[in-house]
Amino acid sequence: MSDIIRLLPDAVANQIAAGEVIQRPSSVIKELVENAIDAGASLIQVIVADAGKSSIQVVDNGKGMSPTDARLAFERHATSKISSAQDLYHLQTMGFRGEALASIAAVAQVELNTRRPEDEVGTCLRIEGSKVCSQELTGCPIGANFIVRNLFFNIPARRKFLKSNQTEMSHIYAEFERMALAHPTVGMKLATPESVLFNLPAGNFRARIKALYGKHQDAALLPLQVETSLVKISGFVGSPSSAKKKGARQFLFVNNRYMRHPYFNKAIIGAYDRLIAEGDQVPYFLSFDIDPTRIDVNVHPAKTEIKFQDDPAIWQILQAAVRESLGKWGAVPSLDFDTAGRPDLPVFDANAGPTAPPQIHIDPNFNPFGSSTGKVASGSSTPSYLPNRPSRGQVDAFSRMEQEILGQRLPTDQTPTDGNAHPTLYDTLPSDEQNRWTQTDAPRFQLLGRYVVTASSAGLLIIDQHRAHTRILFDEYYAQLTSRHGISQGLLFPQSLNLSVSAAAVFESLMPRLTAVGFDFSSLGGTDYSICGIPAGTEGLDIALLIDNLIDEAGDGGRGGEESINRHIAATLSRHAAMPCGQALSDDEMRELAQKLFASSNPRFTPSGQPIYHIWSGTDLEKLLS
């Protein structure tokens, strides 16, 4: 039997390695920009065409390369960053593996023009699929100019798995923002052949945050600074008022390298205990300076997973620093001793004489066991405005029933795991019950400002008014999106909308659908817009915040076909525009709410799958009171 173990050709080995390092166009940009930073560049320009699928160009004014270095740089494990294994434990550069350029050249057509300050002419090198096509002298500026064309041209299966241009551009924005934040002293520019997306001058950390995300984000940040013998932490954390359910900008950097660290994220969020709602996120931009020998960045080719030698100690330092910042800058609410309406408390006077003891007055004619007709022993009648009070036993029975209903059996915010309602708890309303709600004499009332309750032939019917309204609005918004006939209500005072470049790109894609449901926007130039009209029924909402939420959630629900995108927008709008819990309803409003609910496409569940109503049968009530 012949031997079966063999060495793979270099081209195949390079393609395999490229699968780890180069996943999409944003990976190419990350590797080339990091090389430019290591080369000492003070200005880096990135130009992408067709979301990086057709062309990626990275130009820097760094120290450049000699003809020999330019050719050798594309070989695997060729690097100028380290020379021995010991160098891995005190890295001062962004790159060190020597795999990036080889991986890029294995899956793309690459052209490099580079020149050192001491050279009169530069070098032009062309490589395609790991094969050198040509190398010649050329005139070019000092630094390096990489042009990467037709990414994955020789791996069609890999190329077809690239996402839409919008999705790939969102990854490019995210990667560019991380590097721009990690290196605020380096000027950076991101552009397409049509327009300049980012033009960030060199500056400090806060100026870079403001340039990327605008003055609204800057206004919500609190400075943080702590220095110990173990680590130095600097940056900014968000005030509690800036918390949101999702989409908060959260960045951690160590030695100017972006990292993901869920453990440290828990330390930061833990400092906001009882200051923000559970599950909320706060923005933060924090940079760690630490001895390179106490961390390990050689965990994954992407270099975003970093191990710390002193995790627990840094966790304590970080949480204490965040709490100190919140307290120092007044973000922690203080006790407000309001004196309005306070009781008049007498002040002790040592010279005052003794006061008369309090007098007790007794009505000898009062009889608590008066007649059931409302007469008391004295012959006077009970005032007519006092209702007939239930007995203590009735009060206790009702209280027990209410606790059972509200605490144990009412639908919760948990979606049924199997996607269907429980056949007992979430019973179907009898078809004749819809007519009951059209009768003006049908008894109904509000419970705890959240539930609409009435008696039905099947038992006690309880409707969650917020969820019911969410279902009604979802159907209306979805119909408007599909028909493109939303009703707009003009604003007397238009609201301004200031977006970051990445958010503006998502907003541009959403704008036609938002216009279809009744929004009216006007461009103010750049990434600023004016909100001139809103959909009918959304009055009183923070429209700018609503649109921010739509943009944040577009990445999750915006994938898929036209119907999927429309449903996501309708669900987000309806969830934020629905009446809040605690809103008082008149009898007519309760009847109209139920009528529209039972005429909707799915009266039993909200668009997210939460149950809307529940029927408490007579048998269940009897068991409670038995």
Side-chain angles (χ1 to χ4, degrees):
M1 185 175 180
S2 60
D3 298 331
I4 59 175
I5 303 297
R6 60 183 179 274
L7 290 173
L8 289 173
D10 288 343
V12 177
N14 286 342
Q15 287 187 8
I16 294 173
E20 287 187 330
V21 181
I22 307 302
Q23 301 174 359
R24 52 183 3 119
S26 62
S27 305
V28 175
I29 294 173
K30 174 182 180 295
E31 299 296 341
L32 295 181
V33 170
E34 286 184 348
N35 280 346
I37 293 171
D38 288 339
S42 61
L43 177 62
I44 303 172
Q45 303 177 68
V46 181
I47 305 169
V48 296
D50 190 27
K53 300 174 185 176
S54 299
S55 172
I56 298 171
Q57 184 176 8
V58 177
V59 184
D60 70 72
N61 62 351
K63 58 187 178 183
M65 288 183 281
S66 68
T68 302
D69 284 346
R71 174 66 186 84
L72 189 60
F74 286 91
E75 297 294 332
R76 286 190 68 194
H77 308 305
T79 179
S80 63
K81 316 296 175 62
I82 62 174
S83 57
S84 67
Q86 293 301 318
D87 294 339
L88 290 173
Y89 301 103
H90 48 85
L91 289 169
Q92 301 288 343
T93 57
M94 300 301 296
F96 57 88
R97 289 173 176 267
E99 293 180 327
L101 292 182
S103 297
I104 294 170
V107 294
Q109 300 164 340
V110 182
E111 177 181 329
L112 167 62
N113 294 274
T114 182
R115 180 168 75 90
R116 297 180 301 177
E118 62 267 27
D119 295 334
E120 294 184 359
V121 294
T123 299
C124 177
L125 177 67
R126 295 183 180 89
I127 300 180
E128 182 174 317
S130 296
K131 296 181 180 179
V132 177
C133 299
S134 65
Q135 183 171 1
E136 56 191 14
L137 299 178
T138 186
C140 63
I142 296 172
N145 182 349
F146 284 89
I147 304 176
V148 180
R149 299 184 178 93
N150 301 321
L151 186 64
F152 300 130
F153 79 101
N154 53 350
I155 313 178
R158 187 73 178 273
R159 185 175 177 87
K160 75 177 182 179
F161 279 103
L162 292 176
K163 304 299 182 181
S164 65
N165 282 3
Q166 177 186 335
T167 302
E168 294 301 336
M169 280 304 298
S170 68
H171 286 284
I172 291 174
Y173 289 141
E175 200 64 64
F176 186 85
E177 289 170 357
R178 293 168 187 167
M179 293 184 293
L181 288 170
H183 304 276
T185 58
V186 178
M188 293 191 181
K189 183 177 180 180
L190 176 64
T192 66
E194 297 79 24
S195 63
V196 176
L197 303 177
F198 291 97
N199 191 2
L200 307 174
N204 57 36
F205 195 22
R206 184 149 202 168
R208 182 56 58 87
I209 295 172
K210 187 175 180 179
L212 283 170
Y213 303 116
K215 58 183 179 182
H216 295 292
Q217 180 71 85
D218 178 66
L221 297 179
L222 308 173
L224 182 149
Q225 184 82 28
V226 63
E227 185 170 357
T228 69
S229 59
L230 184 62
V231 63
K232 176 183 177 182
I233 306 175
S234 60
F236 305 90
V237 294
S239 62
S241 60
S242 65
K244 55 199 305 187
K245 288 298 181 186
K246 64 183 307 181
R249 298 179 176 98
Q250 299 176 334
F251 294 92
L252 294 175
F253 305 94
V254 56
N255 296 350
N256 298 323
R257 187 190 304 275
Y258 171 77
M259 68 172 176
R260 294 187 179 93
H261 210 293
Y263 185 60
F264 289 164
N265 177 76
K266 288 184 178 180
I268 297 170
I269 299 302
Y272 289 81
D273 186 30
R274 301 186 182 181
L275 296 178
I276 62 175
E278 185 176 356
D280 277 8
Q281 301 176 358
V282 290
Y284 54 78
F285 303 82
L286 296 176
S287 179
F288 295 66
D289 271 332
I290 193 169
D291 184 350
T293 62
R294 306 189 75 87
I295 61 174
D296 183 7
V297 300
N298 190 27
V299 178
H300 188 272
K303 299 186 286 290
T304 58
E305 299 177 17
I306 298 177
K307 292 183 178 180
F308 285 73
Q309 183 176 331
D310 308 286
D311 275 0
I314 296 177
W315 194 97
Q316 297 288 346
I317 295 171
L318 176 59
Q319 186 169 89
V322 175
R323 286 176 174 167
E324 180 185 18
S325 179
L326 292 173
K328 181 178 179 181
W329 298 99
V332 178
S334 59
L335 294 176
D336 182 14
F337 295 98
D338 190 1
T339 60
R342 70 178 182 180
D344 186 13
L345 300 177
V347 180
F348 174 74
D349 186 359
N351 298 323
T355 58
Q359 301 296 319
I360 300 176
H361 300 281
I362 300 175
D363 182 3
N365 296 322
F366 175 72
N367 182 4
F369 302 101
S371 63
S372 59
T373 59
K375 301 291 184 177
V376 294
S378 62
S380 61
S381 61
T382 304
S384 60
Y385 57 81
L386 292 179
N388 291 328
R389 298 179 180 272
S391 67
R392 178 62 181 268
Q394 291 174 316
V395 172
D396 291 344
F398 180 79
S399 177
R400 288 195 303 270
M401 180 179 72
E402 181 184 53
Q403 292 300 320
E404 288 287 340
I405 293 174
L406 299 181
Q408 298 182 19
R409 301 291 294 275
L410 271 183
T412 65
D413 289 340
Q414 300 299 321
T415 305
T417 55
D418 58 358
N420 299 311
H422 191 283
T424 300
L425 296 184
Y426 307 109
D427 199 3
T428 304
L429 190 72
S431 59
D432 60 347
E433 286 300 324
Q434 296 187 27
N435 296 329
R436 180 181 182 86
W437 286 88
T438 65
Q439 304 299 321
T440 59
D441 60 345
R444 62 185 69 86
F445 63 92
Q446 246 182 321
L447 182 62
L448 301 181
R450 174 175 179 177
Y451 305 103
V452 176
V453 183
T454 187
S456 70
S457 60
L460 191 65
L461 175 63
I462 308 171
I463 300 175
D464 187 309
Q465 67 186 44
H466 171 75
R467 297 181 184 179
H469 199 208
T470 300
R471 165 54 65 183
I472 295 167
L473 291 179
F474 172 83
D475 286 358
E476 293 178 359
Y477 289 137
Y478 185 73
Q480 292 170 5
L481 282 166
T482 54
S483 64
R484 305 281 175 174
H485 293 300
I487 301 175
S488 181
Q489 179 172 328
L491 295 177
L492 182 61
F493 301 102
Q495 297 185 32
S496 61
L497 186 64
N498 310 107
L499 303 174
S500 65
V501 175
S502 54
V506 179
F507 176 70
E508 289 284 349
S509 66
L510 294 176
M511 194 182 295
R513 295 181 175 87
L514 296 178
T515 303
V517 297
F519 283 102
D520 182 16
F521 302 104
S522 175
S523 176
L524 299 178
T527 60
D528 296 334
Y529 300 85
S530 177
I531 307 172
C532 304
I534 59 176
T538 59
E539 302 85 354
L541 294 177
D542 187 337
I543 300 301
L545 179 60
L546 173 61
I547 293 175
D548 282 342
N549 289 330
L550 278 168
I551 293 172
D552 290 339
E553 297 179 15
D556 297 329
R559 302 178 184 142
E562 181 83 8
E563 180 181 358
S564 174
I565 297 174
N566 288 344
R567 291 183 66 86
H568 174 71
I569 294 176
T572 304
L573 278 172
S574 61
R575 185 171 65 253
H576 288 90
M579 69 175 70
C581 297
Q583 178 171 325
L585 300 178
S586 66
D587 187 77
D588 290 339
E589 289 171 334
M590 287 188 283
R591 183 175 66 254
E592 183 181 4
L593 178 73
Q595 286 176 341
K596 290 184 177 180
L597 170 64
F598 294 123
S600 66
S601 60
N602 186 353
R604 300 180 65 188
F605 296 101
T606 65
S608 61
Q610 296 173 323
I612 297 175
Y613 68 83
H614 174 68
I615 297 177
W616 199 268
S617 68
T619 304
D620 293 330
L621 294 174
E622 290 174 359
K623 290 180 180 179
L624 287 176
L625 299 175
S626 60

